[in-house]
Amino acid sequence: MSITPLPSFLPETAPFTPQQRAWLDGLFAGVFGLEGGVTPLSKQDVAKLLPGLIDAPDEAPEEIDDGAPWHDPATPLSERMKLAEGRPLPRRMMAAMAQQDCGQCGYNCKDYADVLFSKKEKRLNLCVPGGKETARMLKQLYQELESGAPKTDAATEEVAPAPLAAPGRSRDNPITATLLSRYRLNKEGSEKETWHVEIDLAECGLDYEVGDSFGVFPANDPGLVDAVLQALEAPPDFPIGGRTLREVLTDGVSLSPAPDMLFQLISYITGGERRQKAKALAEGRDPDGDTAVLDLLAALQKFAGIRPDPEAFIEALDPLQPRVYSISSSLKSNPGRVSLTVDAVRYKVNDRTRLGVASTFLAGRVKSGDKLRVYVQKAQHFALPADPNKPIIMIGPGTGVAPFRAFLQERIATKAPGPNWLYFGHQRSDFDFFYEDELKAMRRAGHLTRLTLAWSRDGDEKIYVQHRMRDDGRDLWAWLERGAHIYVCGDALRMAKDVERALIDVVAVHGKRSPEDAARYVEDLKKNDRYQADVY
Ligand SMILES: Cc1cc2nc3c(=O)[nH]c(=O)nc-3n(C[C@H](O)[C@H](O)[C@H](O)COP(=O)(O)OP(=O)(O)OC[C@H]3O[C@@H](n4cnc5c(N)ncnc54)[C@H](O)[C@@H]3O)c2cc1C
Ligand SMILES: NC(=O)c1ccc[n+]([C@@H]2O[C@H](COP(=O)([O-])OP(=O)(O)OC[C@H]3O[C@@H](n4cnc5c(N)ncnc54)[C@H](OP(=O)(O)O)[C@@H]3O)[C@@H](O)[C@H]2O)c1
């Protein structure tokens, strides 16, 4: 029999020999009882418990206040987990999540990790940006939580579910709203397909603040549902929990990507080499180098003819998750309405066009007058300055312009006197200038103090918003010194990082600071909520 060593209560830096550490851990385990894993004590806690043995540090560094170094959306999961190695379990759970505080799971990453750890939340598959990879890692960490602790009454007790939020205030309690209209923001000839979508909220009475995001429950493409039904060789009206199989496939389950559980199910009902392959896929291996493109239909085609029991098949799938979009309107100038700015995700894998489920739902499948299940995702640290006199600088290429249209409408409606500077960029000036007429009208009226544009595909050279920021460095620095709040919205993987780098360079050059001091200046802007991001 192997004995799993208990995790340590003591911080790694506490000055004890291994023998002292083992004795003290035993003592603390006895004093506190072990339930569901251990969070090492801080140095202050140890100093309080053992006065005189070690000195209390001057400051109280909270474990989480280290900037969560793993939380860079461009860092692969394996590296994030390495960065979190040796941390308490909830921190490692947090590191498994793919993008800091995108809000789509209904929590901040830290809160999601904490409720998983305390078992108040049992759903391990809520992290939309992390998808299957994050769900798999969370499952592994959850097993550690289950196996690391002796079962005490407290550990096995059912935790009461959190109270339900008011209708429309959380993904767990959506409300019904009506699609009003939509129009395409790119002109004919563009390579992009981005839509302005208007939704009526008058009937349901839902309200929001600028900076908030809007959650939408989509429905899958009926063409894809038909193809899945055909590949399953199952009758569309097969009854599943009071609904038909077609209905459940339409709005109950995700059709992409194929989850591990499905491959597990397939491994039970196939034999030979196919079983081995399905088992490997269920364990997260990639025997044929194609896992990245295996949606449900591709998985069924790969294992053609398996004909699983429809009920077991549905059981093996993930629920269809809502998607969130930055709100691009102010309620003050659009009473009873909300608008979104949605880039339709379509791409080809082999001969089949794959559709982003929610973006193509909003971009086409839902019709004017149709009902939608929606909710408001409150913004965390993404809001206009409380003082309307403060200047604001907004950097929003592509769909990143969405919340800034809302900010501008709000500043106009509230007659905020502070100056407004918008950086917008996209591929081509002729086709991709979203809200061109509105923005130019705001500029003419003086509401938009400066409008700086960056077109990446107009000429031979790529011009991005950060190039324009560097060109404008002297003025940007002057605005910052006047107390400007600066905002960035859009692509998290590359753009937001490049913009931050440009900002640091601007501070270094025009603020005459060393690169380290410039980076600290930008960190301070963040700490003081003067540099805020809404990136995805
Ligand atoms: C806070 C926040 C605000 C957001 N605001 C906006 C907004 O204002 N406007 C907006 O358009 N989006 C916004 N998004 C993104 C939005 O939530 C969705 O993620 C996006 O619309 C895609 O969802 P989908 O359901 O259409 O695609 P999904 O069905 O989720 O498919 C997307 C997946 O498809 C795959 N994929 C996409 N393109 C390719 C490709 N070319 N090749 C291979 N695979 C690919 C990727 O795996 C990707 O994760 C925001 C996200 C967050 C978190
Ligand atoms: N999860 C999803 O499936 C999903 C769905 C929709 C959007 N997104 C992502 O969300 C983001 C927003 O998409 P979008 O349609 O609004 O526009 P986008 O693809 O971000 O493009 C907007 C502009 O930004 C430019 N750009 C590219 N790299 C940049 C960089 N490093 N720094 C600054 N600008 C850069 C683009 O130029 P070039 O293209 O010419 O290089 C283009 O001119 C994108 O990252 C997109 O991938 C993801």
Side-chain angles (χ1 to χ4, degrees):
M1 189 181 80
S2 72
I3 298 174
T4 316
L6 288 174
S8 182
F9 277 88
L10 297 165
E12 275 164 24
T13 49
F16 298 112
T17 64
Q19 288 84 353
Q20 287 169 326
R21 182 176 283 275
W23 184 84
L24 285 165
D25 274 333
L27 174 73
F28 289 140
V31 171
F32 301 125
L34 268 180
E35 38 170 289
V38 165
T39 303
L41 298 179
S42 68
K43 208 170 170 192
Q44 291 92 328
D45 293 331
V46 178
K48 265 188 232 149
L49 285 161
L50 302 169
L53 209 62
I54 65 168
D55 293 327
D58 302 329
E59 285 178 3
E62 256 264 82
E63 180 75 34
I64 205 61
D65 278 350
D66 60 1
W70 50 79
H71 254 310
D72 172 348
T75 309
L77 179 89
S78 56
E79 270 177 50
R80 296 203 303 275
M81 297 318 295
K82 232 182 237 142
L83 286 169
E85 236 166 46
R87 303 294 182 103
L89 193 49
R91 298 290 77 76
R92 283 183 286 135
M93 287 176 152
M94 182 180 173
M97 291 157 199
Q99 194 186 308
Q100 186 153 36
D101 300 344
C102 81
Q104 292 187 94
C105 62
Y107 302 97
N108 286 327
C109 295
K110 179 181 178 301
D111 295 339
Y112 183 33
D114 286 346
V115 289
L116 287 175
F117 182 72
S118 65
K119 300 186 178 174
K120 285 186 186 138
E121 175 61 81
K122 297 269 171 65
R123 292 169 295 178
L124 301 174
N125 56 359
L126 294 183
C127 180
V128 177
K132 207 160 129 167
E133 207 184 26
T134 295
R136 206 178 274 147
M137 179 52 69
L138 285 177
K139 197 169 157 199
Q140 193 179 314
L141 294 170
Y142 201 80
Q143 276 161 2
E144 202 176 305
L145 172 64
E146 298 262 274
S147 64
K151 295 279 175 286
T152 64
D153 286 350
T156 48
E157 232 170 60
E158 269 300 306
V159 184
L164 205 56
R169 298 288 163 203
S170 116
R171 56 176 274 157
D172 292 328
N173 196 10
I175 205 167
T176 302
T178 311
L179 183 90
L180 282 173
S181 60
R182 123 188 96 221
Y183 64 86
R184 189 159 169 203
L185 286 161
N186 331 79
K187 295 197 184 81
E188 211 47 52
S190 173
E191 286 178 36
K192 298 286 274 192
E193 186 199 324
T194 311
W195 296 82
H196 177 79
V197 177
E198 294 263 343
I199 295 166
D200 177 68
L201 300 179
E203 213 177 309
C204 67
L206 192 60
D207 61 9
Y208 60 86
E209 300 288 336
V210 294
D212 290 346
S213 302
F214 201 70
V216 177
F217 281 82
N220 288 310
D221 170 40
L224 183 60
V225 171
D226 281 343
V228 168
L229 281 166
Q230 210 175 356
L232 269 178
E233 300 180 51
D237 57 355
F238 188 95
I240 308 243
R243 304 187 78 204
T244 66
L245 178 59
R246 181 193 291 283
E247 284 166 347
V248 176
L249 286 173
T250 299
D251 61 13
V253 292
S254 165
L255 304 188
S256 178
D260 295 347
M261 285 274 283
L262 176 64
F263 293 118
Q264 208 167 336
L265 173 69
I266 295 174
S267 77
Y268 297 148
I269 55 177
T270 45
E273 200 195 333
R274 286 184 6 138
R275 166 172 297 180
Q276 294 315 317
K277 272 200 180 151
K279 261 184 89 176
L281 286 162
E283 287 162 7
R285 287 180 284 130
D286 194 359
D288 298 331
D290 59 355
T291 44
V293 296
L294 289 180
D295 67 351
L296 230 59
L297 181 57
L300 289 171
Q301 287 166 341
K302 187 178 174 81
F303 295 94
I306 49 169
R307 304 195 66 203
D309 168 66
E311 213 157 351
F313 175 74
I314 292 294
E315 273 287 303
L317 303 183
D318 286 333
L320 184 55
Q321 305 240 30
R323 305 289 193 270
V324 299
Y325 294 89
S326 309
I327 287 176
S328 59
S329 54
S330 158
L331 210 42
K332 295 198 174 68
S333 43
N334 303 268
R337 283 183 185 203
V338 67
S339 77
L340 313 176
T341 306
V342 180
D343 179 59
V345 174
R346 298 180 208 273
Y347 56 96
K348 260 200 154 157
V349 176
N350 303 326
D351 288 339
R352 178 153 62 91
T353 300
R354 305 283 176 99
L355 306 178
V357 57
S359 59
T360 58
F361 171 71
L362 288 168
R365 291 197 294 284
V366 65
K367 303 284 176 245
S368 156
D370 284 356
K371 301 291 180 199
L372 301 168
R373 286 194 306 142
V374 302
Y375 62 96
V376 170
Q377 178 75 49
K378 278 300 308 154
Q380 309 263 351
H381 306 285
F382 194 77
L384 280 168
D387 177 355
N389 294 297
K390 293 275 184 211
I392 59 171
I393 303 164
M394 299 162 281
I395 300 155
T399 52
V401 74
F404 304 138
R405 178 177 185 264
F407 277 14
L408 286 165
Q409 289 186 350
E410 181 89 1
R411 296 264 276 195
I412 294 169
T414 56
K415 300 190 168 41
N420 306 308
W421 185 349
L422 175 68
Y423 281 87
F424 175 71
H426 215 325
Q427 294 183 353
R428 293 181 180 85
S429 53
D430 283 346
F431 311 131
D432 304 307
F433 194 164
F434 300 167
Y435 305 114
E436 177 175 2
D437 294 345
E438 281 180 32
L439 293 174
K440 284 186 171 165
M442 286 180 191
R443 179 82 187 91
R444 276 194 303 275
H447 298 307
L448 188 48
T449 321
R450 282 182 80 154
L451 174 62
T452 305
L453 302 167
W455 304 110
S456 57
R457 303 191 192 185
D458 266 3
D460 295 335
E461 209 186 327
K462 288 246 178 198
I463 305 288
Y464 289 155
V465 282
Q466 63 270 24
H467 300 130
R468 297 291 188 220
M469 288 170 68
R470 287 197 168 89
D471 295 345
D472 297 334
R474 200 152 47 111
D475 293 351
L476 264 183
W477 172 247
W479 278 54
L480 286 175
E481 284 297 272
R482 281 165 61 199
H485 287 223
I486 183 160
Y487 301 87
V488 60
C489 179
D491 172 39
L493 281 183
R494 297 155 304 156
M495 184 275 295
K497 288 171 94 171
D498 294 347
V499 161
E500 180 162 337
R501 219 163 286 138
L503 186 62
I504 293 173
D505 290 348
V506 164
V507 172
V509 173
H510 299 279
K512 300 190 176 28
R513 281 165 162 77
S514 68
E516 295 74 28
D517 286 347
R520 254 192 299 278
Y521 181 98
V522 170
E523 274 311 306
D524 283 345
L525 288 180
K526 284 187 194 168
K527 279 193 193 127
N528 296 320
D529 271 348
R530 278 184 55 203
Y531 181 24
Q532 302 184 355
D534 175 23
V535 293
Y536 41 90

